[in-house]
Amino acid sequence: MRTHYRWMRSILFAGAIALLLSCGGGGGGGSTGSLGNLSSSSSSTGNGSSDGTGTGSTGTDGTGTAGGTDGSGGSDGTSTAGNGSDDGSGVGSGGTGVSTADATGVGSVGGLGSIILNGVRYDTDTATTSLEDTTELQIGMSVRIAGKIDSEFTAATAQQVESAAELRGAVSAIDVTGGSFVVMGTTVTVDNATVWSNVSGLAQVAAGDVVQVWGLPSAPGSLRATRVELKPASTEPLVTGTVQNLDLIGQRFTLGQLTVRYTGAVFSGGIDQATLAEGAIVRVRGSVAPIAGLFSATKVQGWYAVPKQDAAALQLAGVITNYAGLNAFTVLGTPIDASNAQVTGGPSTSIGNGVKVELDGFMSNGVLVVKKLRIRNIPGVGGPVAFTLIGAIGNYQSPSSFVVKGQQVNAGGGTTVFENGTVADLANGRRVTVVGDTVVDGVLIAQRVNFTLP
């Protein structure tokens, strides 16, 4: 009898273990575990159902689109998947079966309706937001997002969002043909993805105009503009760049052609006088414009912090510098190894200094080991651009004048493609996904309007 009891207990115990394992127990329930072993991570997205958990088609540059309450995909190179929130974002954070890890994303805003950053849509429903130099986040503004992302970099949830401008001051020189201008000793370059907020383009900017620029620091003394707007002449100056010629005794350094004196300045953003170092990227604010190339700083802020710890997930957008091969270059001051990356948006042979890229990968010994590399702009050639808005129509005046997520839209040019509806369906309150590749005078020129379910 005692032997029979032990036999029955063994069967029940084995059955319980089998049931636990079938539910994901004992293996972490699909969690990432060690981030270095991506093969053990679980990643699942929805099936295009009406709850917004859909997975869409592969984009033209090799990245996919998914989500939206109609479960439809697209070709704008944006990846969205997830939980069917009320903005149609469909972005998950683990509750949908997507394994997530702590992550940081740095780049420029490619879309609104949550936030699209570097091709991935971040659910911002529960995120805290910190904005400087603006009252509302808009397309083209630089941003840093901390949150969770899946191991394939397709579904993400934001926990913290911060944004500030990089440059503000008077234009001293303009090269329309070369696509650049100079502000306070910093050379600003533009490309086909630069958003022009209240001006039609570089040809309409004049010497002496005060501009505010969001952008991505590249080589020392240069900045790739992602958004440009004109400002009143009285606006306080601001400059961002790489610290050079640091003089700890004289308390000064150079940013491009500008000498910054930081005596009495307030330090923030993870940096102070003791940690200020050669090569650091900083954002410097002052109360008056530079005099004879000397800028008196009132604040010195560490630029968007990039994690250094091993296995940290990182999305990074920027301009390549110090290129010595796919296994050795720099973006935003971060060493990069993309020797085993999936490359989309152009041939890998086109990668080099001055090329704008988006990178997805994991940190290892201070180096970002890249899993996916998307080429976004090749000097003299250009690159794929797609700005996306997802939300309800407001302030509707006509097909050429309405607003989605605070962004003015023109879908009345006659070339806009309408999906799941027609131009006659445009009206206040209608939910839409708008995709365009140009923002001029603050207006997104719509290439495609998709009517999503209410």
Side-chain angles (χ1 to χ4, degrees), residues 80-81 83-92 109-117 120-127 129 137-139 145 156-158 161 388-391 405 431:
T80 57
N83 63 5
S85 61
D86 60 5
D87 66 354
S89 67
V91 179
V109 176
L112 298 169
S114 292
I115 296 174
I116 297 173
L117 178 69
V120 175
R121 190 168 176 197
Y122 285 76
D123 177 7
T124 57
D125 285 350
T126 59
T129 301
L137 198 64
Q138 289 293 299
I139 290 173
I145 298 178
T157 298
V161 179
T388 305
L389 304 171
I390 304 173
K405 289 295 179 181
R431 295 192 55 79

PDB file of all heavy atoms in Angstrom, residues 80-81 83-92 109-117 120-127 129 137-139 145 156-158 161 388-391 405 431:
ATOM      1  N   THR A  80       5.166  48.619 -35.898  1.00  0.00           N
ATOM      2  CA  THR A  80       4.284  48.796 -34.747  1.00  0.00           C
ATOM      3  C   THR A  80       3.551  47.500 -34.487  1.00  0.00           C
ATOM      4  O   THR A  80       3.079  46.834 -35.389  1.00  0.00           O
ATOM      5  CB  THR A  80       3.249  49.913 -34.995  1.00  0.00           C
ATOM      6  OG1 THR A  80       2.506  49.608 -36.157  1.00  0.00           O
ATOM      7  CG2 THR A  80       3.914  51.256 -35.178  1.00  0.00           C
ATOM      8  N   ALA A  81       3.431  47.144 -33.243  1.00  0.00           N
ATOM      9  CA  ALA A  81       2.725  45.921 -32.889  1.00  0.00           C
ATOM     10  C   ALA A  81       2.241  46.024 -31.470  1.00  0.00           C
ATOM     11  O   ALA A  81       2.767  46.776 -30.691  1.00  0.00           O
ATOM     12  CB  ALA A  81       3.661  44.723 -33.025  1.00  0.00           C
ATOM     13  N   ASN A  83      -0.855  46.138 -28.271  1.00  0.00           N
ATOM     14  CA  ASN A  83      -1.927  45.844 -27.332  1.00  0.00           C
ATOM     15  C   ASN A  83      -3.244  46.527 -27.632  1.00  0.00           C
ATOM     16  O   ASN A  83      -4.128  46.509 -26.820  1.00  0.00           O
ATOM     17  CB  ASN A  83      -1.473  46.220 -25.915  1.00  0.00           C
ATOM     18  CG  ASN A  83      -1.196  47.700 -25.785  1.00  0.00           C
ATOM     19  OD1 ASN A  83      -1.426  48.454 -26.727  1.00  0.00           O
ATOM     20  ND2 ASN A  83      -0.702  48.135 -24.641  1.00  0.00           N
ATOM     21  N   GLY A  84      -3.390  47.145 -28.797  1.00  0.00           N
ATOM     22  CA  GLY A  84      -4.685  47.682 -29.156  1.00  0.00           C
ATOM     23  C   GLY A  84      -5.162  48.787 -28.256  1.00  0.00           C
ATOM     24  O   GLY A  84      -6.308  48.793 -27.845  1.00  0.00           O
ATOM     25  N   SER A  85      -4.293  49.738 -27.893  1.00  0.00           N
ATOM     26  CA  SER A  85      -4.733  50.849 -27.055  1.00  0.00           C
ATOM     27  C   SER A  85      -5.650  51.765 -27.842  1.00  0.00           C
ATOM     28  O   SER A  85      -5.777  51.652 -29.044  1.00  0.00           O
ATOM     29  CB  SER A  85      -3.513  51.637 -26.543  1.00  0.00           C
ATOM     30  OG  SER A  85      -2.784  52.182 -27.601  1.00  0.00           O
ATOM     31  N   ASP A  86      -6.290  52.726 -27.154  1.00  0.00           N
ATOM     32  CA  ASP A  86      -7.336  53.491 -27.804  1.00  0.00           C
ATOM     33  C   ASP A  86      -6.835  54.474 -28.845  1.00  0.00           C
ATOM     34  O   ASP A  86      -7.628  55.077 -29.551  1.00  0.00           O
ATOM     35  CB  ASP A  86      -8.197  54.227 -26.774  1.00  0.00           C
ATOM     36  CG  ASP A  86      -7.399  55.207 -25.937  1.00  0.00           C
ATOM     37  OD1 ASP A  86      -6.191  55.397 -26.210  1.00  0.00           O
ATOM     38  OD2 ASP A  86      -7.987  55.781 -25.001  1.00  0.00           O
ATOM     39  N   ASP A  87      -5.508  54.623 -28.976  1.00  0.00           N
ATOM     40  CA  ASP A  87      -5.020  55.462 -30.058  1.00  0.00           C
ATOM     41  C   ASP A  87      -4.682  54.649 -31.286  1.00  0.00           C
ATOM     42  O   ASP A  87      -4.148  55.148 -32.256  1.00  0.00           O
ATOM     43  CB  ASP A  87      -3.795  56.284 -29.619  1.00  0.00           C
ATOM     44  CG  ASP A  87      -2.588  55.442 -29.329  1.00  0.00           C
ATOM     45  OD1 ASP A  87      -2.726  54.209 -29.348  1.00  0.00           O
ATOM     46  OD2 ASP A  87      -1.507  56.000 -29.078  1.00  0.00           O
ATOM     47  N   GLY A  88      -5.010  53.350 -31.227  1.00  0.00           N
ATOM     48  CA  GLY A  88      -4.729  52.492 -32.368  1.00  0.00           C
ATOM     49  C   GLY A  88      -3.280  52.079 -32.443  1.00  0.00           C
ATOM     50  O   GLY A  88      -2.848  51.528 -33.438  1.00  0.00           O
ATOM     51  N   SER A  89      -2.522  52.352 -31.387  1.00  0.00           N
ATOM     52  CA  SER A  89      -1.093  52.109 -31.483  1.00  0.00           C
ATOM     53  C   SER A  89      -0.754  50.643 -31.573  1.00  0.00           C
ATOM     54  O   SER A  89       0.168  50.264 -32.261  1.00  0.00           O
ATOM     55  CB  SER A  89      -0.368  52.724 -30.280  1.00  0.00           C
ATOM     56  OG  SER A  89      -0.715  52.052 -29.099  1.00  0.00           O
ATOM     57  N   GLY A  90      -1.482  49.813 -30.847  1.00  0.00           N
ATOM     58  CA  GLY A  90      -1.148  48.401 -30.874  1.00  0.00           C
ATOM     59  C   GLY A  90       0.270  48.140 -30.435  1.00  0.00           C
ATOM     60  O   GLY A  90       0.946  47.319 -30.997  1.00  0.00           O
ATOM     61  N   VAL A  91       0.780  48.849 -29.435  1.00  0.00           N
ATOM     62  CA  VAL A  91       2.140  48.637 -28.983  1.00  0.00           C
ATOM     63  C   VAL A  91       2.127  47.920 -27.658  1.00  0.00           C
ATOM     64  O   VAL A  91       1.466  48.348 -26.722  1.00  0.00           O
ATOM     65  CB  VAL A  91       2.888  49.981 -28.841  1.00  0.00           C
ATOM     66  CG1 VAL A  91       4.298  49.749 -28.340  1.00  0.00           C
ATOM     67  CG2 VAL A  91       2.933  50.698 -30.177  1.00  0.00           C
ATOM     68  N   GLY A  92       2.869  46.837 -27.563  1.00  0.00           N
ATOM     69  CA  GLY A  92       2.813  46.016 -26.372  1.00  0.00           C
ATOM     70  C   GLY A  92       3.998  46.212 -25.461  1.00  0.00           C
ATOM     71  O   GLY A  92       5.001  46.775 -25.835  1.00  0.00           O
ATOM     72  N   VAL A 109      11.853  62.430 -33.744  1.00  0.00           N
ATOM     73  CA  VAL A 109      10.478  61.928 -33.820  1.00  0.00           C
ATOM     74  C   VAL A 109      10.069  61.763 -35.280  1.00  0.00           C
ATOM     75  O   VAL A 109      10.053  62.715 -36.047  1.00  0.00           O
ATOM     76  CB  VAL A 109       9.515  62.888 -33.105  1.00  0.00           C
ATOM     77  CG1 VAL A 109       8.075  62.416 -33.277  1.00  0.00           C
ATOM     78  CG2 VAL A 109       9.872  63.010 -31.633  1.00  0.00           C
ATOM     79  N   GLY A 110       9.719  60.526 -35.640  1.00  0.00           N
ATOM     80  CA  GLY A 110       9.286  60.248 -37.004  1.00  0.00           C
ATOM     81  C   GLY A 110       7.781  60.147 -37.145  1.00  0.00           C
ATOM     82  O   GLY A 110       7.264  60.038 -38.258  1.00  0.00           O
ATOM     83  N   GLY A 111       7.074  60.190 -36.022  1.00  0.00           N
ATOM     84  CA  GLY A 111       5.627  60.101 -36.089  1.00  0.00           C
ATOM     85  C   GLY A 111       4.998  60.297 -34.737  1.00  0.00           C
ATOM     86  O   GLY A 111       5.648  60.166 -33.685  1.00  0.00           O
ATOM     87  N   LEU A 112       3.695  60.630 -34.751  1.00  0.00           N
ATOM     88  CA  LEU A 112       2.930  60.892 -33.543  1.00  0.00           C
ATOM     89  C   LEU A 112       1.658  60.066 -33.559  1.00  0.00           C
ATOM     90  O   LEU A 112       1.110  59.768 -34.611  1.00  0.00           O
ATOM     91  CB  LEU A 112       2.587  62.385 -33.442  1.00  0.00           C
ATOM     92  CG  LEU A 112       3.787  63.342 -33.348  1.00  0.00           C
ATOM     93  CD1 LEU A 112       3.331  64.783 -33.522  1.00  0.00           C
ATOM     94  CD2 LEU A 112       4.512  63.172 -32.025  1.00  0.00           C
ATOM     95  N   GLY A 113       1.170  59.769 -32.343  1.00  0.00           N
ATOM     96  CA  GLY A 113       0.063  58.862 -32.131  1.00  0.00           C
ATOM     97  C   GLY A 113       0.665  57.759 -31.303  1.00  0.00           C
ATOM     98  O   GLY A 113       0.931  56.679 -31.811  1.00  0.00           O
ATOM     99  N   SER A 114       1.022  58.060 -30.046  1.00  0.00           N
ATOM    100  CA  SER A 114       2.193  57.595 -29.334  1.00  0.00           C
ATOM    101  C   SER A 114       3.384  58.256 -30.029  1.00  0.00           C
ATOM    102  O   SER A 114       3.232  59.303 -30.635  1.00  0.00           O
ATOM    103  CB  SER A 114       2.285  56.074 -29.298  1.00  0.00           C
ATOM    104  OG  SER A 114       1.231  55.567 -28.481  1.00  0.00           O
ATOM    105  N   ILE A 115       4.571  57.667 -30.008  1.00  0.00           N
ATOM    106  CA  ILE A 115       5.736  58.266 -30.659  1.00  0.00           C
ATOM    107  C   ILE A 115       6.420  57.214 -31.511  1.00  0.00           C
ATOM    108  O   ILE A 115       6.697  56.108 -31.038  1.00  0.00           O
ATOM    109  CB  ILE A 115       6.751  58.819 -29.632  1.00  0.00           C
ATOM    110  CG1 ILE A 115       6.135  59.956 -28.823  1.00  0.00           C
ATOM    111  CG2 ILE A 115       8.016  59.315 -30.336  1.00  0.00           C
ATOM    112  CD1 ILE A 115       7.031  60.450 -27.712  1.00  0.00           C
ATOM    113  N   ILE A 116       6.704  57.538 -32.760  1.00  0.00           N
ATOM    114  CA  ILE A 116       7.497  56.676 -33.621  1.00  0.00           C
ATOM    115  C   ILE A 116       8.924  57.197 -33.605  1.00  0.00           C
ATOM    116  O   ILE A 116       9.190  58.347 -33.961  1.00  0.00           O
ATOM    117  CB  ILE A 116       6.942  56.638 -35.049  1.00  0.00           C
ATOM    118  CG1 ILE A 116       5.527  56.024 -35.047  1.00  0.00           C
ATOM    119  CG2 ILE A 116       7.866  55.827 -35.960  1.00  0.00           C
ATOM    120  CD1 ILE A 116       4.820  56.094 -36.372  1.00  0.00           C
ATOM    121  N   LEU A 117       9.842  56.359 -33.166  1.00  0.00           N
ATOM    122  CA  LEU A 117      11.246  56.720 -33.064  1.00  0.00           C
ATOM    123  C   LEU A 117      12.090  55.629 -33.708  1.00  0.00           C
ATOM    124  O   LEU A 117      11.986  54.459 -33.343  1.00  0.00           O
ATOM    125  CB  LEU A 117      11.650  56.892 -31.592  1.00  0.00           C
ATOM    126  CG  LEU A 117      13.123  57.221 -31.333  1.00  0.00           C
ATOM    127  CD1 LEU A 117      13.451  58.620 -31.825  1.00  0.00           C
ATOM    128  CD2 LEU A 117      13.465  57.091 -29.862  1.00  0.00           C
ATOM    129  N   VAL A 120      10.317  52.484 -34.817  1.00  0.00           N
ATOM    130  CA  VAL A 120       9.527  51.708 -33.849  1.00  0.00           C
ATOM    131  C   VAL A 120       8.538  52.624 -33.148  1.00  0.00           C
ATOM    132  O   VAL A 120       8.885  53.737 -32.760  1.00  0.00           O
ATOM    133  CB  VAL A 120      10.437  51.034 -32.801  1.00  0.00           C
ATOM    134  CG1 VAL A 120       9.611  50.330 -31.731  1.00  0.00           C
ATOM    135  CG2 VAL A 120      11.367  50.029 -33.480  1.00  0.00           C
ATOM    136  N   ARG A 121       7.327  52.144 -32.979  1.00  0.00           N
ATOM    137  CA  ARG A 121       6.318  52.937 -32.309  1.00  0.00           C
ATOM    138  C   ARG A 121       6.278  52.625 -30.821  1.00  0.00           C
ATOM    139  O   ARG A 121       6.092  51.481 -30.410  1.00  0.00           O
ATOM    140  CB  ARG A 121       4.941  52.676 -32.923  1.00  0.00           C
ATOM    141  CG  ARG A 121       3.912  53.660 -32.421  1.00  0.00           C
ATOM    142  CD  ARG A 121       2.670  53.571 -33.254  1.00  0.00           C
ATOM    143  NE  ARG A 121       1.655  54.440 -32.704  1.00  0.00           N
ATOM    144  CZ  ARG A 121       0.376  54.349 -33.010  1.00  0.00           C
ATOM    145  NH1 ARG A 121      -0.024  53.446 -33.856  1.00  0.00           N
ATOM    146  NH2 ARG A 121      -0.488  55.166 -32.480  1.00  0.00           N
ATOM    147  N   TYR A 122       6.481  53.648 -30.009  1.00  0.00           N
ATOM    148  CA  TYR A 122       6.478  53.522 -28.553  1.00  0.00           C
ATOM    149  C   TYR A 122       5.118  53.952 -28.009  1.00  0.00           C
ATOM    150  O   TYR A 122       4.686  55.073 -28.237  1.00  0.00           O
ATOM    151  CB  TYR A 122       7.551  54.412 -27.934  1.00  0.00           C
ATOM    152  CG  TYR A 122       8.974  53.926 -28.076  1.00  0.00           C
ATOM    153  CD1 TYR A 122       9.654  54.034 -29.278  1.00  0.00           C
ATOM    154  CD2 TYR A 122       9.650  53.369 -26.994  1.00  0.00           C
ATOM    155  CE1 TYR A 122      10.970  53.609 -29.410  1.00  0.00           C
ATOM    156  CE2 TYR A 122      10.965  52.934 -27.104  1.00  0.00           C
ATOM    157  CZ  TYR A 122      11.620  53.057 -28.323  1.00  0.00           C
ATOM    158  OH  TYR A 122      12.918  52.633 -28.442  1.00  0.00           O
ATOM    159  N   ASP A 123       4.481  53.046 -27.257  1.00  0.00           N
ATOM    160  CA  ASP A 123       3.257  53.396 -26.546  1.00  0.00           C
ATOM    161  C   ASP A 123       3.625  54.373 -25.431  1.00  0.00           C
ATOM    162  O   ASP A 123       4.485  54.084 -24.590  1.00  0.00           O
ATOM    163  CB  ASP A 123       2.648  52.126 -25.981  1.00  0.00           C
ATOM    164  CG  ASP A 123       1.397  52.380 -25.152  1.00  0.00           C
ATOM    165  OD1 ASP A 123       0.921  53.535 -25.123  1.00  0.00           O
ATOM    166  OD2 ASP A 123       0.916  51.427 -24.523  1.00  0.00           O
ATOM    167  N   THR A 124       2.984  55.522 -25.396  1.00  0.00           N
ATOM    168  CA  THR A 124       3.308  56.554 -24.404  1.00  0.00           C
ATOM    169  C   THR A 124       2.179  56.794 -23.410  1.00  0.00           C
ATOM    170  O   THR A 124       2.173  57.805 -22.706  1.00  0.00           O
ATOM    171  CB  THR A 124       3.639  57.881 -25.113  1.00  0.00           C
ATOM    172  OG1 THR A 124       2.530  58.272 -25.940  1.00  0.00           O
ATOM    173  CG2 THR A 124       4.886  57.758 -25.962  1.00  0.00           C
ATOM    174  N   ASP A 125       1.235  55.865 -23.327  1.00  0.00           N
ATOM    175  CA  ASP A 125       0.059  56.073 -22.481  1.00  0.00           C
ATOM    176  C   ASP A 125       0.421  56.356 -21.028  1.00  0.00           C
ATOM    177  O   ASP A 125      -0.249  57.141 -20.349  1.00  0.00           O
ATOM    178  CB  ASP A 125      -0.858  54.851 -22.554  1.00  0.00           C
ATOM    179  CG  ASP A 125      -1.635  54.783 -23.860  1.00  0.00           C
ATOM    180  OD1 ASP A 125      -1.600  55.774 -24.613  1.00  0.00           O
ATOM    181  OD2 ASP A 125      -2.258  53.734 -24.124  1.00  0.00           O
ATOM    182  N   THR A 126       1.465  55.716 -20.516  1.00  0.00           N
ATOM    183  CA  THR A 126       1.816  55.879 -19.106  1.00  0.00           C
ATOM    184  C   THR A 126       3.166  56.567 -18.927  1.00  0.00           C
ATOM    185  O   THR A 126       3.723  56.559 -17.827  1.00  0.00           O
ATOM    186  CB  THR A 126       1.850  54.511 -18.398  1.00  0.00           C
ATOM    187  OG1 THR A 126       2.815  53.671 -19.035  1.00  0.00           O
ATOM    188  CG2 THR A 126       0.479  53.842 -18.460  1.00  0.00           C
ATOM    189  N   ALA A 127       3.688  57.162 -19.971  1.00  0.00           N
ATOM    190  CA  ALA A 127       5.011  57.771 -19.908  1.00  0.00           C
ATOM    191  C   ALA A 127       4.974  59.154 -19.260  1.00  0.00           C
ATOM    192  O   ALA A 127       3.987  59.885 -19.390  1.00  0.00           O
ATOM    193  CB  ALA A 127       5.605  57.884 -21.311  1.00  0.00           C
ATOM    194  N   THR A 129       6.721  62.885 -19.386  1.00  0.00           N
ATOM    195  CA  THR A 129       7.336  63.656 -20.464  1.00  0.00           C
ATOM    196  C   THR A 129       7.976  64.926 -19.922  1.00  0.00           C
ATOM    197  O   THR A 129       7.382  65.628 -19.099  1.00  0.00           O
ATOM    198  CB  THR A 129       6.278  64.034 -21.523  1.00  0.00           C
ATOM    199  OG1 THR A 129       5.689  62.823 -22.037  1.00  0.00           O
ATOM    200  CG2 THR A 129       6.906  64.801 -22.673  1.00  0.00           C
ATOM    201  N   LEU A 137       5.483  68.157 -28.292  1.00  0.00           N
ATOM    202  CA  LEU A 137       6.379  67.359 -29.106  1.00  0.00           C
ATOM    203  C   LEU A 137       5.845  67.282 -30.533  1.00  0.00           C
ATOM    204  O   LEU A 137       4.672  67.012 -30.763  1.00  0.00           O
ATOM    205  CB  LEU A 137       6.503  65.956 -28.516  1.00  0.00           C
ATOM    206  CG  LEU A 137       7.704  65.118 -28.966  1.00  0.00           C
ATOM    207  CD1 LEU A 137       9.004  65.771 -28.523  1.00  0.00           C
ATOM    208  CD2 LEU A 137       7.599  63.710 -28.396  1.00  0.00           C
ATOM    209  N   GLN A 138       6.736  67.525 -31.500  1.00  0.00           N
ATOM    210  CA  GLN A 138       6.336  67.520 -32.900  1.00  0.00           C
ATOM    211  C   GLN A 138       7.336  66.732 -33.740  1.00  0.00           C
ATOM    212  O   GLN A 138       8.454  66.417 -33.301  1.00  0.00           O
ATOM    213  CB  GLN A 138       6.239  68.958 -33.428  1.00  0.00           C
ATOM    214  CG  GLN A 138       5.054  69.749 -32.885  1.00  0.00           C
ATOM    215  CD  GLN A 138       3.727  69.199 -33.367  1.00  0.00           C
ATOM    216  OE1 GLN A 138       3.446  69.151 -34.562  1.00  0.00           O
ATOM    217  NE2 GLN A 138       2.903  68.771 -32.427  1.00  0.00           N
ATOM    218  N   ILE A 139       6.925  66.423 -34.968  1.00  0.00           N
ATOM    219  CA  ILE A 139       7.765  65.670 -35.889  1.00  0.00           C
ATOM    220  C   ILE A 139       9.103  66.383 -36.091  1.00  0.00           C
ATOM    221  O   ILE A 139       9.164  67.595 -36.257  1.00  0.00           O
ATOM    222  CB  ILE A 139       7.045  65.495 -37.243  1.00  0.00           C
ATOM    223  CG1 ILE A 139       5.860  64.542 -37.096  1.00  0.00           C
ATOM    224  CG2 ILE A 139       7.992  64.963 -38.313  1.00  0.00           C
ATOM    225  CD1 ILE A 139       5.001  64.441 -38.333  1.00  0.00           C
ATOM    226  N   ILE A 145      14.065  58.389 -25.323  1.00  0.00           N
ATOM    227  CA  ILE A 145      13.001  57.601 -24.704  1.00  0.00           C
ATOM    228  C   ILE A 145      13.626  56.475 -23.902  1.00  0.00           C
ATOM    229  O   ILE A 145      14.497  55.755 -24.393  1.00  0.00           O
ATOM    230  CB  ILE A 145      12.046  57.020 -25.768  1.00  0.00           C
ATOM    231  CG1 ILE A 145      11.357  58.145 -26.543  1.00  0.00           C
ATOM    232  CG2 ILE A 145      11.012  56.111 -25.112  1.00  0.00           C
ATOM    233  CD1 ILE A 145      10.431  57.654 -27.638  1.00  0.00           C
ATOM    234  N   ALA A 156       7.391  48.429 -28.424  1.00  0.00           N
ATOM    235  CA  ALA A 156       8.022  49.151 -27.323  1.00  0.00           C
ATOM    236  C   ALA A 156       7.005  49.944 -26.528  1.00  0.00           C
ATOM    237  O   ALA A 156       5.962  50.346 -27.037  1.00  0.00           O
ATOM    238  CB  ALA A 156       9.106  50.081 -27.853  1.00  0.00           C
ATOM    239  N   THR A 157       7.353  50.188 -25.274  1.00  0.00           N
ATOM    240  CA  THR A 157       6.551  51.014 -24.389  1.00  0.00           C
ATOM    241  C   THR A 157       7.471  52.040 -23.729  1.00  0.00           C
ATOM    242  O   THR A 157       8.507  51.678 -23.170  1.00  0.00           O
ATOM    243  CB  THR A 157       5.866  50.168 -23.306  1.00  0.00           C
ATOM    244  OG1 THR A 157       4.982  49.242 -23.924  1.00  0.00           O
ATOM    245  CG2 THR A 157       5.075  51.050 -22.350  1.00  0.00           C
ATOM    246  N   ALA A 158       7.104  53.304 -23.806  1.00  0.00           N
ATOM    247  CA  ALA A 158       7.910  54.369 -23.212  1.00  0.00           C
ATOM    248  C   ALA A 158       7.540  54.572 -21.756  1.00  0.00           C
ATOM    249  O   ALA A 158       6.367  54.552 -21.386  1.00  0.00           O
ATOM    250  CB  ALA A 158       7.704  55.667 -23.983  1.00  0.00           C
ATOM    251  N   VAL A 161      10.044  60.229 -21.528  1.00  0.00           N
ATOM    252  CA  VAL A 161      10.305  60.900 -22.797  1.00  0.00           C
ATOM    253  C   VAL A 161      10.863  62.279 -22.492  1.00  0.00           C
ATOM    254  O   VAL A 161      10.268  63.034 -21.716  1.00  0.00           O
ATOM    255  CB  VAL A 161       9.018  61.044 -23.639  1.00  0.00           C
ATOM    256  CG1 VAL A 161       9.311  61.780 -24.947  1.00  0.00           C
ATOM    257  CG2 VAL A 161       8.390  59.678 -23.920  1.00  0.00           C
ATOM    258  N   THR A 388       4.704  59.874 -39.931  1.00  0.00           N
ATOM    259  CA  THR A 388       3.418  59.220 -39.712  1.00  0.00           C
ATOM    260  C   THR A 388       2.644  59.890 -38.581  1.00  0.00           C
ATOM    261  O   THR A 388       3.214  60.188 -37.530  1.00  0.00           O
ATOM    262  CB  THR A 388       3.622  57.736 -39.362  1.00  0.00           C
ATOM    263  OG1 THR A 388       4.394  57.112 -40.386  1.00  0.00           O
ATOM    264  CG2 THR A 388       2.286  57.014 -39.232  1.00  0.00           C
ATOM    265  N   LEU A 389       1.363  60.110 -38.803  1.00  0.00           N
ATOM    266  CA  LEU A 389       0.454  60.623 -37.784  1.00  0.00           C
ATOM    267  C   LEU A 389      -0.690  59.633 -37.623  1.00  0.00           C
ATOM    268  O   LEU A 389      -1.265  59.183 -38.624  1.00  0.00           O
ATOM    269  CB  LEU A 389      -0.120  61.988 -38.181  1.00  0.00           C
ATOM    270  CG  LEU A 389       0.872  63.102 -38.508  1.00  0.00           C
ATOM    271  CD1 LEU A 389       0.124  64.304 -39.079  1.00  0.00           C
ATOM    272  CD2 LEU A 389       1.656  63.497 -37.269  1.00  0.00           C
ATOM    273  N   ILE A 390      -1.030  59.300 -36.386  1.00  0.00           N
ATOM    274  CA  ILE A 390      -2.130  58.379 -36.134  1.00  0.00           C
ATOM    275  C   ILE A 390      -3.032  58.996 -35.081  1.00  0.00           C
ATOM    276  O   ILE A 390      -2.610  59.240 -33.952  1.00  0.00           O
ATOM    277  CB  ILE A 390      -1.619  57.009 -35.653  1.00  0.00           C
ATOM    278  CG1 ILE A 390      -0.621  56.423 -36.653  1.00  0.00           C
ATOM    279  CG2 ILE A 390      -2.787  56.052 -35.431  1.00  0.00           C
ATOM    280  CD1 ILE A 390       0.051  55.159 -36.193  1.00  0.00           C
ATOM    281  N   GLY A 391      -4.262  59.308 -35.445  1.00  0.00           N
ATOM    282  CA  GLY A 391      -5.172  59.920 -34.494  1.00  0.00           C
ATOM    283  C   GLY A 391      -6.408  60.468 -35.177  1.00  0.00           C
ATOM    284  O   GLY A 391      -6.663  60.206 -36.355  1.00  0.00           O
ATOM    285  N   LYS A 405      -2.967  65.098 -34.390  1.00  0.00           N
ATOM    286  CA  LYS A 405      -1.945  65.118 -33.340  1.00  0.00           C
ATOM    287  C   LYS A 405      -1.168  66.430 -33.309  1.00  0.00           C
ATOM    288  O   LYS A 405       0.048  66.443 -33.115  1.00  0.00           O
ATOM    289  CB  LYS A 405      -0.981  63.931 -33.512  1.00  0.00           C
ATOM    290  CG  LYS A 405      -1.598  62.586 -33.175  1.00  0.00           C
ATOM    291  CD  LYS A 405      -1.961  62.500 -31.706  1.00  0.00           C
ATOM    292  CE  LYS A 405      -2.601  61.169 -31.348  1.00  0.00           C
ATOM    293  NZ  LYS A 405      -2.969  61.090 -29.921  1.00  0.00           N
ATOM    294  N   ARG A 431     -10.857  58.921 -37.425  1.00  0.00           N
ATOM    295  CA  ARG A 431      -9.516  58.427 -37.116  1.00  0.00           C
ATOM    296  C   ARG A 431      -8.794  58.047 -38.399  1.00  0.00           C
ATOM    297  O   ARG A 431      -9.344  57.345 -39.247  1.00  0.00           O
ATOM    298  CB  ARG A 431      -9.571  57.242 -36.160  1.00  0.00           C
ATOM    299  CG  ARG A 431     -10.119  57.597 -34.785  1.00  0.00           C
ATOM    300  CD  ARG A 431      -9.890  56.470 -33.803  1.00  0.00           C
ATOM    301  NE  ARG A 431      -8.483  56.088 -33.736  1.00  0.00           N
ATOM    302  CZ  ARG A 431      -7.565  56.769 -33.051  1.00  0.00           C
ATOM    303  NH1 ARG A 431      -7.912  57.855 -32.386  1.00  0.00           N
ATOM    304  NH2 ARG A 431      -6.314  56.374 -33.039  1.00  0.00           N
TER     305      ARG A 431
END
